[in-house]
Amino acid sequence: MATPAEFLLSAVEPAQFPPEGLPEVAFLGRSNVGKSTLLNVLTGRKLAFTSSTPGRTQAVNFFRVQDRLIFADLPGYGFAKAPKSVSRGWQGVIDAYLLRRESLALCMLLLDARRGWMDSDLQLKQWLEYHQRPYAVVATKVDKLNQKEKNASQKAIREHYESGDLIWFSGLSGQGVKEIWQTIWKKTGQ
Ligand SMILES: Nc1nc2c(ncn2[C@@H]2O[C@H](COP(=O)(O)OP(=O)(O)OP(=O)(O)O)[C@@H](O)[C@H]2O)c(=O)[nH]1
Ligand SMILES: [Mg+2]
């Protein structure tokens, strides 16, 4: 079922971020991990651009959801093909967002279930912990794994993340959507 949600704006620098207000959920992860797809599946709408070309989302895109939440779709990191100056520019926006956004209530840290933690993911995780930003981990593209591979992936992810929320998600089947919504409501205090 579609959730009332609308695109608010696209910001390439902090001055363009919308005013703080509603609790915000940010979607973070490497390029191509499925951030925009997750956002679309959660809202049941094609609000965010998705693409098989990594680096599709190059700005922070804000969406208002049910008049109760803001979703922020962030540019992916770890996209080696982006020119250095461009990737540094994105990094600056992400840093500014994560450091200063007071209404940020929850970060969804997405990992490709086939790859688990990559160095850049672990760096982000450490950063979130250092700055005491609440986060939950979503393992994406679980439809690409069989049960044995999923068990191995779970074990590997848990090696660096013992007990926090870990949700298995597939944009194809919709697996995990209910749990992700439950986590969002729980962590945004609604
Ligand atoms: N099989 C499968 N494919 C997925 C899933 N989620 C995303 N994809 C595909 O992976 C590609 C990247 O998805 P996006 O949602 O655009 O990824 P993103 O993280 O927003 O990427 P950037 O904006 O580049 O950072 C697209 O081709 C999607 O269709 C999933 O759960 N299962
Ligand atoms: Mg995207």
Side-chain angles (χ1 to χ4, degrees):
M1 208 181 67
T3 303
E6 58 177 354
F7 172 73
L8 273 180
L9 60 87
S10 190
V12 292
E13 55 182 22
Q16 297 167 340
F17 293 164
E20 307 241 6
L22 296 170
E24 209 155 288
V25 180
F27 296 82
L28 292 160
R30 291 171 58 82
S31 284
N32 212 44
V33 69
K35 298 174 293 296
S36 301
T37 300
L38 172 57
L39 202 146
N40 285 341
V41 172
L42 285 177
T43 57
R45 290 159 189 266
K46 279 221 177 309
L47 289 173
F49 290 114
T50 63
S51 165
S52 55
T53 311
R56 183 68 185 80
T57 308
Q58 299 190 17
V60 185
N61 290 312
F62 292 90
F63 304 85
R64 188 205 307 269
V65 180
Q66 291 186 6
D67 284 326
R68 291 164 76 180
L69 289 173
I70 305 257
F71 280 178
D73 187 14
L74 274 88
Y77 49 82
F79 175 39
K81 276 193 197 145
K84 270 272 166 339
S85 57
V86 175
S87 55
R88 269 202 295 271
W90 299 350
Q91 191 60 48
V93 178
I94 298 175
D95 283 354
Y97 175 83
L98 289 175
L99 266 180
R100 297 190 217 137
R101 196 75 179 158
E102 282 182 24
S103 48
L104 178 57
L106 175 64
C107 294
M108 287 294 183
L109 174 46
L110 277 65
L111 303 178
D112 187 320
R114 296 167 300 176
R115 299 200 175 90
W117 296 104
M118 310 277 285
D119 285 347
S120 47
D121 302 314
L122 288 170
Q123 278 165 24
L124 174 62
K125 172 180 177 286
Q126 220 172 16
W127 194 100
L128 294 172
E129 285 167 1
Y130 180 80
H131 292 280
Q132 301 184 318
R133 286 299 203 184
Y135 69 94
V137 173
V138 176
T140 65
K141 309 193 186 184
V142 66
D143 51 272
K144 293 187 187 257
L145 300 184
N146 63 31
Q147 190 58 44
K148 198 174 157 211
E149 291 165 331
K150 191 189 151 190
N151 292 344
S153 172
Q154 175 148 18
K155 195 158 166 261
I157 291 173
R158 283 303 187 191
E159 272 170 26
H160 297 280
Y161 181 66
E162 273 171 33
S163 57
D165 287 307
L166 171 59
I167 303 154
W168 298 87
F169 172 73
S170 165
L172 289 188
S173 70
Q175 178 188 335
V177 171
K178 206 171 140 198
E179 284 165 278
I180 294 169
W181 270 122
Q182 282 168 351
T183 304
I184 289 172
W185 295 132
K186 185 175 77 187
K187 294 283 174 74
T188 57
Q190 301 189 59

